[in-house]
Amino acid sequence: MTEPRYDVIAIGNAIVDIIAACDDETIEELDLSRGGMMLVDAPGADRLYEAMGPATEKSGGSAANTLAGLSQLGTQCAFIGQVADDQFGKVFAHDIRAAGIDFDTPMRPTDGTDTDPPTGRCLIFVTPDGERTMNTFLGAGQYLPATALDENLIASGAILYLEGYLWDPEEPRKAMRRAIEVARNAGRKVAFTASESFVIERHGDDFRDLIDNGMIDILFVNESELATLTGEPDFEKGFDMVAPKVPCLVATRSEKGAVADAGGVRANVAAEPVAKVVDTTGAGDQFAAGFLSGFAKGEPLEKCLRRGAIAAAEVISHYGPRPETDMQALMAEKL
């Protein structure tokens, strides 16, 4: 097995986050779900974009946000995700590369139809009280084909990290199955984040098959996702059901901290203290970033969990799903 070029390679939704301040009247005029998140189609996304004031545009998506955290922690990363050959596709590509993440997935031609849609985007309206109202158009990211995979790239990563959200559409689901094969044939680790309970409700049989067949080396779940996966409401019982089936199981429990099991060795950490919880968006993504930054270095399980807890605490202390602090300095201070 050759020495890996990258520490982590991730496959996920490629979405441009577009964030703009607005007043309360705008939320009402646009008939938005204040403080919530709803899916919109391409015309709906265009309508909302036109209604926005001056905005910040940057790459987003769960796995991409995890890589952004990993990159800040000094980890070598690459991203695989589908954008269209359009304005927002170019924004996504430029921004993720500027974050120190390699990104070379070919852009998809677009004619604006359902089969060749534009780049995905999340339009985020922020009212004076700091409330974020999110409207997501998934777009081209839902059409990542297996043919777009750079298999040599996947084989060159020590860890392949997969975003559960992208398991929903058929085309990227096939791509991720192929990526798992490539990674395992190259002797690499496969990490999987369940993303959300509703994803498990739709694809739980797939996920359980991957676990039972030894295709996942590191599984990230939160408390509710674990219950959905196992059908067991008791956390400890559910954890004990899954832990023997994966080399490393990591479960987050919000204010109750996190627990991990690797080969029968179990570790627990408390949640990192936070002066004020401002926005929980990205907490799971950054926990995974912190954990994997330690795992990639071969650090003890408890230290990996501490890194995850520190990263999650940083991101929930401000608005937005990515770190705003010098994360390497913060880790050095806290650990």
Side-chain angles (χ1 to χ4, degrees):
M1 185 173 65
T2 59
E3 191 69 18
R5 177 185 174 191
Y6 295 96
D7 297 304
V8 181
I9 293 172
I11 301 179
N13 273 306
I15 296 173
V16 175
D17 286 337
I18 306 168
I19 307 168
C22 74
D23 53 31
D24 293 311
E25 289 74 22
T26 300
I27 299 293
E28 294 180 12
E29 289 168 5
L30 295 174
D31 195 26
L32 302 180
S33 176
R34 181 184 172 85
M37 194 286 283
M38 64 180 185
L39 295 177
V40 297
D41 57 14
D46 290 340
R47 177 180 68 89
L48 294 176
Y49 185 63
E50 289 299 321
M52 278 183 144
T56 300
E57 300 175 354
K58 56 186 179 180
S59 58
S62 175
N65 288 335
T66 294
L67 289 191
L70 277 162
S71 182
Q72 287 199 34
L73 288 165
T75 308
Q76 294 299 308
C77 305
F79 179 72
I80 298 171
Q82 189 66 69
V83 296
D85 188 5
D86 58 16
Q87 171 195 347
F88 290 116
K90 293 178 175 66
V91 168
F92 182 93
H94 175 271
D95 187 69
I96 198 167
R97 290 168 185 156
I101 301 160
D102 284 356
F103 173 61
D104 296 305
T105 307
M107 290 183 172
R108 188 183 185 102
T110 179
D111 58 12
T113 65
D114 289 342
T115 53
D116 285 309
T119 298
R121 68 210 85 139
C122 182
L123 301 107
I124 304 168
F125 292 80
V126 184
T127 44
D129 61 356
E131 189 78 73
R132 293 157 62 89
T133 299
M134 298 185 286
N135 307 270
T136 304
F137 167 61
L138 295 170
Q142 302 282 283
Y143 294 87
L144 175 73
T147 54
L149 299 178
D150 182 338
E151 296 190 357
N152 290 328
L153 174 70
I154 293 169
S156 71
I159 301 168
L160 173 68
Y161 180 75
L162 303 174
E163 176 186 325
Y165 284 126
L166 205 54
W167 201 266
D168 223 22
E170 181 179 358
E171 206 165 7
R173 184 163 65 248
K174 291 179 179 177
M176 287 195 288
R177 285 190 181 279
R178 176 57 189 160
I180 291 171
E181 291 177 7
V182 172
R184 297 200 69 80
N185 288 340
R188 309 309 190 188
K189 302 290 187 186
V190 176
F192 191 92
T193 176
S195 291
E196 196 78 57
S197 288
F198 76 81
V199 180
I200 301 172
E201 288 170 358
R202 286 203 281 268
H203 303 287
D205 288 344
D206 277 357
F207 297 164
R208 286 183 279 270
D209 283 345
L210 290 172
I211 292 167
D212 292 342
N213 291 321
M215 304 302 282
I216 296 176
D217 298 292
I218 309 166
L219 177 64
F220 291 95
V221 290
N222 63 27
E223 200 163 7
S224 64
E225 291 159 5
L226 181 65
T228 304
L229 183 68
T230 61
E232 172 55 66
D234 183 272
F235 174 80
E236 295 296 339
K237 291 180 181 177
F239 193 90
D240 288 342
M241 289 169 64
V242 180
K245 299 180 180 180
V246 291
C248 183
L249 173 62
V250 184
T252 56
R253 309 187 70 189
S254 300
E255 71 280 359
K256 290 179 280 189
V259 57
D261 185 290
V265 176
R266 191 164 298 194
N268 294 269
V269 297
E272 196 72 12
V274 179
K276 181 182 179 183
V277 176
V278 176
D279 178 12
T280 59
T281 306
D285 298 337
Q286 295 312 319
F287 184 95
F291 183 92
L292 289 173
S293 71
F295 190 93
K297 297 175 182 177
E299 292 183 348
L301 195 60
E302 184 174 350
K303 192 171 182 180
C304 294
L305 285 174
R306 281 290 320 282
R307 283 178 171 271
I310 293 165
E314 190 282 336
V315 82
I316 66 175
S317 67
H318 58 75
Y319 286 103
R322 295 186 178 181
E324 294 183 354
T325 303
D326 181 334
M327 292 304 295
Q328 294 191 56
L330 181 64
M331 291 293 176
E333 174 192 337
K334 295 279 190 179
L335 292 174

